[in-house]
């Protein structure tokens, strides 16, 4: 499983890349592999607010459906339109073309907390593998 | 995100099939299913599904239970134990049948092969093999026949899809066109003695090979090699489930259970009420055959991209009217499909023009659904041979 070292992770298998005040969010390689072929991703509307740890979308695969939990607090400024047309991008390129949404971090909100480093996430997925 | 639990093996040691090392070599994602460690998928389950529809797929089904019933009274014993009239089955032929409880509830659905006059082989679902074995042993008592669990003596490999026959033909001298659907014969395939049956669970033409576990690796390898140029792929349980769902075939634990009769599932044809003699469940099943079923198994097609799954409520004008038994995104049709038990009166009312009022409640949101007759997918069959031969 690929776990890029420059990203942060949640124990629920989302990844987040924070660049200034913008956080890009997706699901991990481990997650896409466990889910199998992704056929549909439902994401929050642009402009809506997401809260750390709250469900903000769903990933439908052949065998199951999983909720996506927001790794950060803030406002959704963009969702990936390519994933709507071609959900298989989440399988083929989960950290790249298969990204899910971009969130502007809340000015008044706390700094993102509870995120895992790549090493910590690798340890977590190793245990349950 | 919430993760599917199927991918992680549960505590306890699941049983491995004779082909486990092959699956590991192929990089399969393994899952525990009915106490067995099985390949869920090798790469993309959608690609595996499509390979079976368009070319061919290779399945390890060694988790299925094989139970031999043999003896001079084996046919009579099975007539008493099962819903079908197995004594009337010609040697070499197979039959889809069920074993029911005295109240008519389904204990399992089965395929029974008559290997010879006194010799039957019953294939049971992995999860139910113990139940079937116990019930058979009890019901056969007093007949001159013996019930033996032979699950460990067989590896079961299925090759399914439009190219299955031409691939297999490269490995055997057996005249494959002479093997009719739902029949099984002893044959030699790639040097292995097998029971070669034209049966399956995918909605495609195909064969199932009951083989010696010791030679399973080499048989799998021979089939893989023979099928390479025809697009044969190994296929896992995930593809098997979407294939059988498109083909409208019931799965025990979903469409079939102890709580439903064969009639509820639209499979009353497996109950031979006209066969002579008593059989377990006869009185209850005769009653169910006469009564109007309270609910009926039907197909549903969804307009949404969200997928109806096992257990989701079905609603008619906002009122609960049934439950989804199986659901998946259909790779062939490109939309979510499902099977569901619906109240009989709603079935009558929910005609195609009114599809908008029928819905599946998917996590609190009603997604419009349309009643669709089963199966969702039917393969194109070659025109029947004009030799006057009857097929059954």
């Amino acid at each position: 499983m690929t776990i890029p070292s420059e990203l942060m992770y949640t124990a629920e298998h989302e990844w987040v890349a924070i660049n200034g005040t913008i956080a890009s969010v997706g699901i991990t390689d481990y997650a896409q592999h466990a889910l199998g072929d992704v056929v549909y991703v439902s994401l929050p509307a642009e402009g809506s607010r997401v809260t750390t740890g709250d469900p903000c979308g769903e990933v439908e695969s052949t065998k199951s459906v999983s909720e996506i939990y927001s790794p950060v607090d803030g406002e959704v400024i963009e969702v990936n339109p390519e994933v709507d047309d071609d959900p298989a991008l989440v399988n083929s390129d989960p950290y790249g073309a298969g990204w899910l949404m971009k969130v502007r971090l809340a000015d008044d909100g706390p700094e993102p907390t509870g995120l895992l480093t790549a090493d910590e996430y690798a340890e977590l997925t190793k245990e349950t593998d | 995100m919430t993760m599917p639990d199927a991918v992680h093996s549960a505590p306890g040691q699941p049983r491995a099939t004779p082909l486990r090392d092959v699956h590991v070599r192929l990089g399969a994602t393994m899952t525990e299913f009915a106490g067995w460690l099985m390949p869920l998928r090798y790469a993309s389950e959608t690609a595996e599904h499509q390979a079976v529809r368009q070319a061919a797929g290779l399945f390890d089904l060694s988790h299925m239970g094989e139970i031999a019933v043999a003896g001079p009274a084996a046919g009579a014993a099975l007539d008493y134990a099962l819903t079908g009239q197995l004594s009337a089955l010609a040697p070499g032929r197979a039959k889809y049948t069920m074993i029911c409880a005295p109240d008519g509830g389904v204990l399992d659905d089965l395929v029974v092969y008559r290997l010879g006059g006194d010799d039957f082989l019953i294939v049971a679902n992995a999860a139910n093999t113990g139940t079937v074995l116990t019930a058979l042993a009890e019901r056969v008592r007093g007949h001159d026949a013996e019930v033996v669990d032979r699950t460990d003596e067989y590896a079961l490999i299925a090759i399914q899809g439009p190219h299955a026959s031409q691939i297999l033909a490269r490995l055997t001298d057996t005249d494959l066109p002479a093997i009719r659907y739902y029949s099984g014969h002893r044959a030699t395939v790639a040097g292995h003695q097998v029971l070669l049956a034209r049966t399956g669970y995918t909605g495609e033409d195909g064969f199932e090979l009951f083989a010696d576990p010791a030679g399973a690796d080499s048989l799998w390898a021979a089939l893989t090699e023979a099928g390479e140029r025809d697009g044969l792929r190994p296929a896992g349980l995930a593809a098997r489930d979407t294939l059988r769902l498109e083909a409208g075939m019931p799965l025990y634990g979903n469409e079939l259970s102890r709580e439903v009769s064969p009639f509820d599932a639209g499979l009353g044809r497996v109950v031979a009420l006209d066969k002579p003699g008593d059989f377990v469940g006869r009185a209850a099943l005769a009653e169910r055959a006469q009564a109007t079923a309270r609910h009926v198994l039907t197909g549903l097609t969804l307009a949404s991209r969200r997928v109806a799954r096992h257990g989701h409520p079905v609603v008619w004008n906002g009122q609960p009217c049934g439950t989804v038994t199986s659901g998946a995104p259909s790779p062939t049709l490109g939309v979510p499909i499902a099977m569901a038990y619906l109240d009989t009166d709603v079935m009558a009312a929910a005609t195609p023009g009114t599809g908008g009022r029928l819905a599946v409640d998917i996590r609190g949101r009603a997604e419009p659904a349309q009643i669709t007759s089963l199966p969702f997918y039917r393969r194109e069959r070659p025109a029947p041979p004009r030799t006057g031969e009857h097929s059954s």
Side-chain angles (χ1 to χ4, degrees):
Chain A
M1 301 297 154
T2 316
I3 304 176
S5 58
E6 68 274 20
L7 302 178
M8 300 294 282
Y9 299 88
T10 68
E12 286 82 30
H13 311 284
E14 291 88 15
W15 59 262
V16 52
I18 297 172
N19 198 340
T21 58
I22 307 298
S24 301
V25 177
I27 68 168
T28 65
D29 190 32
Y30 178 89
Q32 71 77 19
H33 188 261
L35 291 172
D37 293 338
V38 173
V39 296
Y40 174 55
V41 183
S42 104
L43 290 166
E46 289 174 8
S48 60
R49 300 198 69 82
V50 290
T51 305
T52 305
D54 282 1
C56 63
E58 293 175 344
V59 185
E60 293 269 7
S61 66
T62 310
K63 290 295 280 181
S64 65
V65 61
S66 298
E67 282 185 315
I68 306 165
Y69 301 102
S70 180
V72 293
D73 284 10
E75 181 193 345
V76 178
I77 55 165
E78 195 180 350
V79 296
N80 186 350
E82 308 290 328
V83 160
D84 196 54
D85 291 341
D86 183 10
L89 287 173
V90 176
N91 293 114
S92 58
D93 193 6
Y95 301 113
W99 66 274
L100 299 181
M101 61 178 182
K102 290 184 179 164
V103 178
R104 179 179 292 120
L105 299 177
D107 292 337
D108 50 349
E111 288 288 302
T113 52
L115 296 174
L116 308 174
T117 65
D119 284 348
E120 288 165 340
Y121 184 66
E123 192 60 32
L124 177 87
T125 49
K126 194 162 131 194
E127 276 170 12
T128 56
D129 203 7
Chain B
M1 40 185 297
T2 44
M3 296 293 279
D5 43 350
V7 175
H8 309 295
S9 50
Q13 278 300 313
R15 297 169 75 181
T17 77
L19 290 161
R20 183 191 52 187
D21 293 350
V22 172
H23 305 316
V24 171
R25 271 204 301 280
L26 289 168
T29 299
M30 302 297 284
T31 188
E32 193 184 334
F33 180 76
W36 293 78
L37 190 63
M38 300 299 296
L40 180 64
R41 72 177 88 87
Y42 298 85
S44 155
E45 66 269 20
T46 310
E48 291 166 21
H49 179 112
Q50 281 155 351
V52 175
R53 288 274 178 261
Q54 291 153 20
L58 197 59
F59 298 84
D60 176 13
L61 306 176
S62 303
H63 62 308
M64 301 292 283
E66 286 90 6
I67 301 168
V69 179
L78 291 179
D79 283 354
Y80 173 70
L82 310 179
T83 59
Q85 189 175 0
L86 287 309
S87 63
L89 191 63
R93 298 308 309 268
K95 197 174 184 67
Y96 177 72
T97 188
M98 293 192 193
I99 182 165
C100 285
D103 69 0
V106 179
L107 295 179
D108 201 10
D109 61 337
L110 310 164
V111 175
V112 179
Y113 299 88
R114 189 168 202 168
L115 305 180
D118 298 341
D119 194 4
F120 293 82
L121 186 69
I122 299 177
V123 178
N125 282 297
N128 295 333
T129 305
T131 306
V132 174
L133 203 54
T134 306
L136 280 177
E138 219 164 80
R139 295 175 188 189
V140 163
R141 200 172 299 145
H143 293 88
D144 188 1
E146 197 189 14
V147 178
V148 183
D149 182 3
R150 298 214 184 278
T151 303
D152 288 342
E153 292 165 44
Y154 289 106
L156 177 54
I157 298 173
I159 180 167
Q160 299 277 306
H163 296 169
S165 182
Q166 72 196 47
I167 294 167
L168 203 53
R170 297 183 188 125
L171 300 174
T172 184
D173 292 336
T174 299
D175 180 19
L176 296 177
I179 301 185
R180 291 192 288 165
Y181 188 54
Y182 264 77
S183 65
H185 301 275
R186 294 189 198 287
T188 305
V189 176
H192 299 266
Q193 302 296 312
V194 300
L195 167 64
L196 180 61
R198 199 163 204 150
T199 43
Y201 193 51
T202 60
E204 297 299 331
D205 184 25
F207 296 84
E208 295 182 308
L209 290 74
F210 298 79
D212 181 355
D217 268 34
S218 121
L219 181 57
W220 179 280
L223 287 160
T224 300
E225 201 189 326
E228 212 171 2
R229 65 185 123 136
D230 290 291
L232 176 78
R233 277 177 181 256
L237 291 186
R240 181 169 156 87
D241 193 43
T242 48
L243 287 159
R244 70 93 196 164
L245 176 60
E246 285 185 348
M249 294 171 164
L251 173 64
Y252 196 90
N254 290 30
E255 287 72 39
L256 299 174
S257 73
R258 191 66 190 68
E259 276 67 52
V260 304
S261 78
F263 295 97
D264 296 319
L267 292 165
R269 62 181 165 81
V270 307
V271 184
L273 288 169
D274 54 351
K275 68 180 169 181
D278 193 23
F279 66 95
V280 179
R282 179 191 271 279
L285 288 167
E287 211 169 285
R288 299 238 201 165
Q290 292 302 316
T292 308
R294 279 180 301 111
H295 49 228
V296 212
L297 188 67
T298 186
L300 296 177
T301 304
L302 273 72
S304 73
R305 296 173 74 186
R306 300 172 81 222
V307 182
R309 312 271 181 185
H310 178 80
H312 286 171
V314 185
V315 291
W316 171 245
N317 293 334
Q319 295 302 307
C321 70
T323 308
V324 171
T325 51
S326 297
S330 162
T332 304
L333 303 173
V335 293
I337 56 171
M339 288 198 267
Y341 278 107
L342 289 198
D343 294 349
T344 307
D345 50 340
V346 168
M347 268 297 281
T351 49
T354 59
R357 301 157 79 195
L358 188 72
V360 179
D361 180 344
I362 301 180
R363 293 177 296 284
R365 212 161 79 207
E367 303 288 357
Q370 190 107 35
I371 288 176
T372 308
S373 61
L374 296 170
F376 297 99
Y377 166 85
R378 201 189 295 271
R379 75 176 184 270
E380 286 174 34
R381 288 164 205 254
R386 305 180 64 176
T387 56
E389 189 197 352
H390 293 280
S391 62
S392 58

